[in-house]
Structures are given as C-alpha cells and as structure tokens.
Amino acid sequence: MDAILQVNNLTKHYPSFTLDHVTFDLPKGAIMGLIGENGAGKSTTINAILNLIHKDEGSVTFWGEELSSSKQLKEDIGVVFDGINFYETLTPAKVAKISAAAYKQWDESLFQDYIKRFELPTDKEIKTLSKGMKMKLSIAVALSHHPKLLILDEATSGLDPVMRDEILDVFMDFVQDEEHSIIMSSHISTDLEKIADYITFIHQGKVLFCKSKDELRYNYGIIRCGAALFEAIDKEDILTYRKDDYQWNVLVADKEKARRKYKNAVVDNATIDDILLLYVKGEQAK
C-alpha cells in the first residue's frame, strides 16, 4: 500500500481533552472519512496534521516527508475548513490574484471553470455570499493549484443536497487517476457512504477503528432482540450494545454469522450512523 499520508501516535494534550496516539495511513487513490461525535478530536487531528497546533507526541508525513521540510508540500496539499479563511471584504477575483501569488501551480483557467460550474460571482465581496457559496469558493481555490491531496474539514456543510452531490462528484473525479487522495471529516454520513473508501472513527480522542467502508457496509450488522435472546448472545460476538425501550440493539462485526447463530433474532444491516450511535451511546460487553 502506497501511503500519501501517514499519521503515527499523534498526541495533543489539553486541560480537558487529549488526542491520544492517533494512528492511520491514507493510501494513494483513496478517500478516507473521519467520523466521530462533536468534540471527539476530528478537527484537532486535522489541525495537528497541518502543523496548525503543536504536537506533543507522534509524527505526520506526506509522501514520507514532514510538512515543515518541503515547500513543495504546500503546493501538493489543498485544504478546506468549515468556514471561510479569506478576508470578508475580498471578492473571488481578488482571492484568485492572491492565490496566484501564493501558489506556483495556480491555474487561473481551472479556477474560472470552477467559478462557472459552481455559479459563483467574481465581483461580490465574500461577506455578501451565503455559507454554501463561501464553501464552494474555498473548494474552488483548493482544487485550482493542482494538489495531490485534499484535506477537508466539514467541506460539504452548508450546501444543499443538489450541490453537495455535485461537489462529491468533483471529489470522486479528483481521485480517479489513483494518484490523488482525500481525507475528509464530516457529520453527513450519507456523503461518506457515497464516496469514502475507508472510515476512521475517533471517539474521545482515540481511534476506535480504521476500516474499509465495504467491511462496515457488508459485514457489520445489528441484532434486534428481546432480553432473553440478548442474554444468550456470546459476549465475544458483541462489539457494543444499547437498550432501546423494550428492544436490545447489538452491534456485531459479522452479520451473516449472527444470522446463522441466532436464528430467532432479526439481524439488520448497519449504516455508518448506526455504528457511530451505538459506539457513542452504547455499552461494551463485560
């Protein structure tokens, strides 16, 4: 596996929160979704990856290099945060001029293509644009200096479903050559179910798992059962569980095995939201 991004034992201590030895690799040509509840550590992870905050432990490398060791990495990494990072009095046209001075690889014609595609005005101040239009501008800028890696923090928030779908198509086009990659945090699990190849789940500052989306989609399941059957389930089969009124919901890593083993139980497919909710709200088997 050729990794574009390698995160190893990334740790950051705050008085009330610790990002605790976060480790994962992002393969070339892949899209990784970063999920977790609010405050889980997703944005802290992204900020530490980008050297925007000091790391207490661990290492981050891009194509085997640290971010501070190569000026070229600034060209090769496109970043979009949840919120505009340009002065609100600038226009998209002025943002383009600033970006052209900042990036050797800036492609003005590509930027204009995205401006047209996203239906953005070039002469209106950013402060007059909607949140969705600001996000589209940020995405256009990030893509227009020909990065090889996109790092996106809630980049589809604030977009209506039609535009979100179009942006997701842009992201999938970006990785089609299998040389580019994307890591994106998102609260919108349906976006990740559409485009992600891998899901990294951060909970209370720790990585609970980093798995392929297909493994989660095709293997994971939820046993829905009453108290008697719940008591009969082998503890080693239970990843996490939650009692909901008169029903027990039990997350398992192999739904087909569960269907064979517990024939009287209903075993449903598990969505990313289901998995997230059961890990966050559920309990571990003792």
Side-chain angles (χ1 to χ4, degrees):
M1 179 184 71
D2 288 333
I4 276 186
L5 169 65
Q6 292 182 299
V7 179
N8 186 41
N9 289 323
L10 184 59
T11 301
K12 175 67 179 177
H13 299 290
Y14 291 104
S16 59
F17 174 78
T18 294
L19 192 69
D20 192 358
H21 295 89
V22 167
T23 298
F24 61 85
D25 290 350
L26 174 61
K28 188 185 295 183
I31 299 176
M32 176 177 286
L34 204 58
I35 67 169
E37 73 275 26
N38 287 335
K42 302 187 300 299
S43 292
T44 302
T45 298
I46 287 174
N47 287 334
I49 285 171
L50 291 169
N51 275 352
L52 297 175
I53 57 174
H54 172 74
K55 299 184 287 292
D56 292 321
E57 290 180 56
S59 64
V60 177
T61 56
F62 301 87
W63 299 276
E65 294 185 290
E66 292 188 353
L67 190 59
S68 58
S69 69
S70 171
K71 291 183 179 179
Q72 181 60 37
L73 289 181
K74 185 184 81 167
E75 304 279 338
D76 290 339
I77 300 169
V79 181
V80 180
F81 290 106
D82 180 17
I84 197 76
N85 286 299
F86 308 114
Y87 289 115
E88 296 269 289
T89 53
L90 294 175
T91 63
K94 290 178 180 177
V95 168
K97 287 184 178 179
I98 293 169
S99 300
Y103 296 103
K104 293 178 182 177
Q105 295 171 184
W106 180 257
D107 187 334
E108 181 64 24
S109 63
L110 181 60
F111 179 72
Q112 293 301 327
D113 286 345
Y114 281 121
I115 289 293
K116 290 173 185 173
R117 180 171 180 175
F118 295 161
E119 299 179 344
L120 292 171
T122 57
D123 56 350
K124 288 190 176 180
E125 291 187 352
I126 289 172
K127 64 185 177 185
T128 68
L129 303 180
S130 68
K131 181 179 180 181
M133 294 174 82
K134 291 175 182 177
M135 190 62 69
K136 287 187 283 185
L137 175 60
S138 295
I139 292 168
V141 171
L143 288 165
S144 295
H145 59 85
H146 293 286
K148 297 176 183 174
L149 168 65
L150 284 178
I151 298 178
L152 312 170
D153 192 5
E154 299 293 339
T156 55
S157 69
L159 301 179
D160 64 67
V162 174
M163 179 48 69
R164 271 210 341 265
D165 201 58
E166 184 176 350
I167 293 294
L168 295 179
D169 287 341
V170 169
F171 293 160
M172 285 192 288
D173 289 343
F174 178 76
V175 299
Q176 281 308 301
D177 66 355
E178 298 186 356
E179 292 294 320
H180 297 162
S181 295
I182 297 174
I183 179 168
M184 61 182 294
S185 73
S186 180
H187 286 97
I188 308 171
S189 62
T190 51
D191 287 357
L192 299 179
E193 287 184 334
K194 177 177 179 180
I195 69 169
D197 300 294
Y198 299 91
I199 300 291
T200 295
F201 180 18
I202 298 180
H203 178 53
Q204 295 178 349
K206 296 181 179 181
V207 173
L208 284 189
F209 62 72
C210 181
K211 295 182 180 293
S212 78
K213 181 189 68 182
D214 286 347
E215 179 180 349
L216 299 174
R217 177 191 286 173
Y218 298 121
N219 294 353
Y220 276 47
I222 301 174
I223 300 174
R224 317 278 191 189
C225 61
L229 182 52
F230 174 74
E231 293 299 327
I233 297 174
D234 289 340
K235 296 295 186 285
E236 61 263 26
D237 292 337
I238 300 174
L239 295 175
T240 182
Y241 67 90
R242 187 184 185 202
K243 188 174 185 293
D244 181 16
D245 294 329
Y246 301 105
Q247 176 177 271
W248 295 84
N249 302 300
V250 181
L251 185 66
V252 295
D254 189 337
K255 63 188 174 190
E256 295 305 327
K257 176 186 173 184
R259 284 167 180 155
R260 293 191 301 269
K261 194 170 179 179
Y262 309 108
K263 290 184 169 55
N264 293 329
V266 173
V267 183
D268 289 336
N269 297 332
T271 65
I272 291 174
D273 266 352
D274 291 332
I275 294 168
L276 175 65
L277 186 64
L278 276 166
Y279 268 112
V280 172
K281 297 289 189 180
E283 301 177 52
Q284 309 297 311
K286 296 177 182 178

